[in-house]
Amino acid sequence: MKLLNKITLWFIGIVFLITPITMYISRNNIKRHLDDAEIARMTAVNDRVAQQMMAGEKPDRYTHGRPIQISTVTGPLPEKKVVVTKDNFIAEDLGEKECRITVDSWYMIGNQPYKISSFNYVIKSEEIFRGMLSTVVWKMLLMIFAVSVTARLLSRKIFSPLRRTMKAIHSFDLKQKDKLQLPETTTTEFKELNVFLGKMTDKAMEDYAAVKEFSENASHELQTPLAVIRSKIELLSETNIDGVQAALIGDMQNAIEKLSHINRSLILLTKLENQEFKVSESIKFCRVVKDVIATYEDWITMREIALTTNLDKNIPLSIHPALAEMLISNLLSNAIRHNRDGGQIKMVLTHRELSVSNTGIPPQIPTCELFQRFKKSNQSNDSIGLGLAIVKQICEVNGFEIEYDYADGWHKIRVAFYKKQTVNSETQPAAAAVAV
């Protein structure tokens, strides 16, 4: 859920929580003020009637047409000269609940004590509540509408820097060596966020550059000692040695070759990340596939693997020739190495994709993890675990999409010469799409 929607829902929830409480308080205050005003009025009427009686006048002016009762009392006057009584009852004639306030006042007029009573029916609490309810409902509906509309209008301005910042983060790439460009803003919190993101990305770029430089230097510096060790082992193998020494020298040579292979693969991955393979023109991809297959024919024959191909012709593809050869070579060698003797390999090439399928044992880890560096399905085999990582990097550099599936005893790697389109994106060809 978006931040704006969460804030709006929280605000509306607070309004729904506070409104009943404020309605209850308002109803009680209104009821109390109305009752107090009526009590004060009837008390003043009683005082006026008593004043007229003290002056020897008849209280017709106030008693006529008013609910006032005047009666004599016996005994002394009570300490409390004014008593207010509130009665709630059901009126027999109307069948509705009524609220009556009675004000009893005691006066000494001459030598005779008198009791003057005034009463009146006042507005009930339920009537006040019903009168407020419709007003409050309309008020809440208007408030919800106003909050929803104004929040979205204000968010276009208030949250605009945040959206631009998120867009800049999504487009940021360490490999481009360009600093993160963040929008200007007057909001303090967004300023602090931009400062933090700027420092974080600058530090990430420095660390990435340092690691990249170290890996490049280490890979290049390893070439010389590896060559020296290889030459020394070759010279040693030409001397008089016994069978045990020959086996040890063979193991050393295999280890040196594997280390050299790892070093060359890491150098290749570094070059791919640095985008050192520029594409100047399209190549005939089908011809490259046939050349690579011819290179591996002896290995396929030795393993007694049945190779089935279905290759379309005239498939021009925008990819560097060296990368095209590496891509096909790694896929085919992977299919041979992880196949069983007497197994099968199927290669299908169309204008839209290249698929390589081979028989073999099920992978011991999820197939998606096999594209990571030094990840192998079987840790005991002679693979260094960089072949599919190089394939993945080649696909990313050229805008291809790669998938690896295993089903019914078949491993299938599919390289699509286009990228899948998202639901909201416009349908556009990939940067390295096939020219049909």
Side-chain angles (χ1 to χ4, degrees):
M1 184 181 292
K2 291 185 177 180
L3 176 62
L4 176 63
N5 294 334
K6 288 187 176 181
I7 295 175
T8 302
L9 289 178
W10 270 98
F11 183 81
I12 293 174
I14 292 173
V15 170
F16 271 97
L17 179 65
I18 297 299
T19 299
I21 299 175
T22 57
M23 282 183 63
Y24 177 79
I25 296 173
S26 299
R27 185 200 65 175
N28 291 340
N29 287 337
I30 293 172
K31 176 63 176 172
R32 186 176 67 254
H33 281 85
L34 290 175
D35 292 351
D36 291 345
E38 187 61 23
I39 292 169
R41 185 190 67 80
M42 289 189 291
T43 302
V45 169
N46 292 348
D47 291 340
R48 290 295 182 87
V49 171
Q51 290 174 4
Q52 283 186 327
M53 294 176 65
M54 290 177 185
E57 300 177 2
K58 292 183 178 182
D60 297 343
R61 178 181 176 185
Y62 289 96
T63 59
H64 182 71
R66 295 176 184 270
I68 300 176
Q69 295 178 354
I70 303 174
S71 60
T72 58
V73 296
T74 59
L77 295 176
E79 294 181 1
K80 193 173 183 180
K81 299 294 182 64
V82 178
V83 176
V84 179
T85 305
K86 296 182 180 181
D87 297 317
N88 294 307
F89 59 94
I90 303 297
E92 295 180 358
D93 53 346
L94 299 176
E96 295 181 356
K97 189 176 181 181
E98 295 287 348
C99 181
R100 185 177 71 179
I101 297 178
T102 303
V103 179
D104 298 325
S105 302
W106 282 267
Y107 303 93
M108 181 62 72
I109 302 175
N111 294 324
Q112 178 66 42
Y114 283 87
K115 174 184 176 183
I116 302 176
S117 300
S118 298
F119 69 91
N120 196 8
Y121 294 93
V122 297
I123 300 175
K124 302 183 293 295
S125 298
E126 292 79 1
E127 294 177 351
I128 297 174
F129 180 78
R130 284 195 296 268
M132 294 175 59
L133 184 60
S134 60
T135 302
V136 171
V137 169
W138 279 107
K139 177 183 176 181
M140 293 181 66
L141 291 176
L142 291 174
M143 186 176 297
I144 292 172
F145 175 76
V147 168
S148 301
V149 173
T150 55
R152 276 153 181 76
L153 293 176
L154 290 175
S155 68
R156 295 181 181 179
K157 181 174 180 60
I158 296 176
F159 290 103
S160 178
L162 178 61
R163 284 194 292 269
R164 294 200 301 270
T165 298
M166 294 176 62
K167 185 177 180 181
I169 294 173
H170 282 301
S171 60
F172 177 71
D173 189 357
L174 286 172
K175 302 174 185 177
Q176 300 298 326
K177 302 179 181 180
D178 294 329
K179 286 192 174 183
L180 181 64
Q181 300 297 326
L182 298 174
E184 296 291 335
T185 177
T186 57
T187 306
T188 303
E189 289 79 6
F190 292 161
K191 283 184 178 179
E192 295 176 355
L193 176 63
N194 289 350
V195 170
F196 171 75
L197 290 175
K199 292 180 179 179
M200 182 182 67
T201 53
D202 290 344
K203 183 67 168 59
M205 291 178 66
E206 292 177 1
D207 293 343
Y208 175 78
V211 172
K212 177 175 171 293
E213 183 180 1
F214 171 78
S215 61
E216 290 177 350
N217 293 338
S219 298
H220 286 290
E221 292 298 326
L222 282 173
Q223 295 287 355
T224 301
L226 285 175
V228 172
I229 294 174
R230 185 183 293 108
S231 62
K232 296 297 183 181
I233 291 177
E234 290 177 354
L235 291 176
L236 181 62
S237 63
E238 295 176 359
T239 60
N240 296 325
I241 56 177
D242 55 24
V244 176
Q245 292 174 331
L248 292 176
I249 292 176
D251 293 339
M252 292 171 61
Q253 286 180 330
N254 292 333
I256 292 298
E257 290 298 327
K258 188 172 183 178
L259 183 60
S260 179
H261 189 191
I262 293 175
N263 188 55
R264 290 195 303 270
S265 299
L266 291 176
I267 292 176
L268 174 60
L269 286 171
T270 302
K271 290 182 178 180
L272 288 172
E273 291 177 351
N274 295 338
Q275 298 183 353
E276 297 183 10
F277 294 90
K278 301 297 181 181
V279 180
S280 58
E281 58 183 10
S282 298
I283 64 171
K284 290 186 177 181
F285 195 70
C286 52
R287 180 174 298 175
V288 179
V289 174
K290 292 178 181 179
D291 292 341
V292 173
I293 292 175
T295 304
Y296 285 90
E297 280 183 351
D298 293 339
W299 191 8
I300 294 173
T301 302
M302 183 178 62
R303 295 286 307 275
E304 298 181 349
I305 295 175
L307 174 62
T308 304
T309 61
N310 185 7
L311 310 177
D312 289 350
K313 299 179 179 180
N314 299 323
I315 302 180
L317 198 63
S318 296
I319 183 174
H320 193 279
L323 295 185
E325 184 177 348
M326 293 178 198
L327 174 67
I328 304 168
S329 178
N330 279 321
L331 289 177
L332 186 55
S333 63
N334 186 76
I336 299 172
R337 181 179 294 107
H338 298 284
N339 212 323
R340 55 182 173 80
D341 292 339
Q344 300 180 60
I345 295 177
K346 296 180 181 180
M347 292 189 66
V348 179
L349 175 64
T350 66
H351 287 81
R352 296 180 60 82
E353 65 181 39
L354 167 68
S355 66
V356 179
S357 305
N358 64 275
T359 54
I361 61 175
Q364 298 178 0
I365 61 175
T367 56
C368 59
E369 296 183 9
L370 294 174
F371 292 112
Q372 301 176 13
R373 297 184 183 184
F374 301 107
K375 282 283 187 178
K376 298 186 293 183
S377 176
N378 186 358
Q379 299 298 326
S380 62
N381 59 37
D382 58 351
S383 173
I384 63 174
L386 288 174
L388 290 182
I390 293 175
V391 170
K392 177 72 172 178
Q393 191 66 38
I394 293 174
C395 290
E396 289 182 355
V397 168
N398 292 276
F400 301 161
E401 188 166 291
I402 186 168
E403 296 178 354
Y404 188 164
D405 295 316
Y406 177 82
D408 300 328
W410 283 85
H411 299 261
K412 182 177 181 180
I413 297 180
R414 171 180 167 274
V415 178
F417 306 134
Y418 63 93
K419 284 189 175 181
K420 290 183 179 179
Q421 305 297 324
T422 58
V423 175
N424 296 326
S425 63
E426 296 180 359
T427 304
Q428 295 179 351
V434 180
V436 181

